[in-house]
Amino acid sequence: MSFDVYVIHTIITSIIFTLAYFYIGCYKHKRATIIMLLFVVFDMLTFFVEEPIVTKIAIVIRAIIFGLLCSLVIKKITIKTKNYAMILIFSIIALLNVYLIYLLVSSVDVSRFGLVDRVFFMFPSIVMIIMCVCSANYNFNRFHLRSTLFLFATFCFAFGDIAMFCGYFLEVKSLYYLERFFSISAFLTWVNYVMLEIKKREQNSVSKTVYYY
């Protein structure tokens, strides 16, 4: 798959899922709606990825998306100080991912990707790792359908982001297909997560109203 075809495919995919997102009423979740719209903006900016300033704007938007995803479950995270094994596992996962991102960034040609750019690209990657750690913690502690869908969505977004990075900067075009698989899977699980989250909020709202009367 060429990069031009890949870009068109990403935009069509994000627009289709966004239209479906609004059609089924997921817009009721305001923060999730902002995230969905930012995905469309990010995909639109990939048209101008050769422009350095546009690339940096896209990187910032990507970091904001990961940060907002993390904020959805930040209050649901439980850190059990006595569970040292779980803390160790999360720490190892985080460190391994940081090292993986460092290796990927370091392997890119310096003529195309200078030191400042490398540091700039590390920021959303670190936010992405924090997002994955938060979603994993959320799922392991709650372990219901919503938490599992959120876990799959965030990890698919993360793996898709890494595949896109490698496909473009390392010029491995076959990885664009892998990115498409992860992104479509992420959107499917993400929309279903938002639907269930809205239903849960509505149920809680009804319960509080009945209790009040």
Side-chain angles (χ1 to χ4, degrees):
M1 181 188 297
S2 66
F3 182 72
D4 292 336
V5 173
Y6 164 75
V7 169
I8 294 173
H9 195 283
T10 57
I11 293 174
I12 293 174
T13 302
S14 60
I15 290 176
I16 289 174
F17 274 103
T18 302
L19 291 174
Y21 177 92
F22 278 91
Y23 179 76
I24 60 181
C26 291
Y27 59 85
K28 297 176 183 177
H29 196 306
K30 295 181 179 179
R31 199 179 308 178
T33 301
I34 293 173
I35 294 171
M36 200 69 190
L37 294 175
L38 285 176
F39 275 122
V40 178
V41 174
F42 176 83
D43 288 336
M44 290 291 187
L45 290 176
T46 55
F47 261 127
F48 313 97
V49 72
E50 297 297 333
E51 297 292 332
I53 184 64
V54 175
T55 302
K56 288 180 172 57
I57 293 173
I59 292 172
V60 171
I61 290 176
R62 201 67 171 174
I64 292 173
I65 291 173
F66 292 147
L68 288 174
L69 284 168
C70 185
S71 71
L72 290 176
V73 298
I74 196 69
K75 294 182 179 180
K76 301 175 183 178
I77 293 175
T78 303
I79 300 177
K80 299 177 181 178
T81 54
K82 294 183 179 180
N83 195 344
Y84 297 110
M86 188 62 67
I87 294 174
L88 179 62
I89 291 173
F90 281 133
S91 300
I92 292 173
I93 291 173
L95 290 173
L96 286 175
N97 278 280
V98 170
Y99 183 62
L100 172 62
I101 297 297
Y102 170 76
L103 290 178
L104 290 174
V105 174
S106 299
S107 63
V108 178
D109 187 3
V110 179
S111 62
R112 296 183 58 194
F113 203 33
L115 179 61
V116 175
D117 293 321
R118 295 184 187 206
V119 174
F120 200 81
F121 267 76
M122 287 292 289
F123 176 66
S125 300
I126 293 172
V127 179
M128 177 188 73
I129 293 167
I130 294 173
M131 173 194 69
C132 290
V133 171
C134 288
S135 66
N137 180 286
Y138 169 48
N139 185 59
F140 291 154
N141 285 314
R142 303 299 177 94
F143 201 67
H144 45 55
L145 182 57
R146 284 176 291 124
S147 66
T148 303
L149 287 172
F150 188 81
L151 176 71
F152 278 121
T154 52
F155 271 77
C156 283
F157 281 132
F159 287 135
D161 198 67
I162 294 174
M164 177 184 65
F165 179 90
C166 294
Y168 181 76
F169 289 105
L170 301 182
E171 298 181 351
V172 184
K173 296 181 179 180
S174 59
L175 288 176
Y176 291 143
Y177 293 100
L178 183 62
E179 191 280 337
R180 289 291 77 210
F181 168 77
F182 281 127
S183 291
I184 292 173
S185 300
F187 277 127
L188 285 170
T189 50
W190 165 248
V191 172
N192 278 278
Y193 162 77
V194 177
M195 287 175 58
L196 292 177
E197 191 68 21
I198 291 173
K199 288 181 180 179
K200 182 64 176 179
R201 290 184 177 185
E202 290 175 347
Q203 289 174 358
N204 291 339
S205 178
V206 170
S207 299
K208 290 180 180 178
T209 303
V210 172
Y211 178 79
Y212 177 78
Y213 284 107

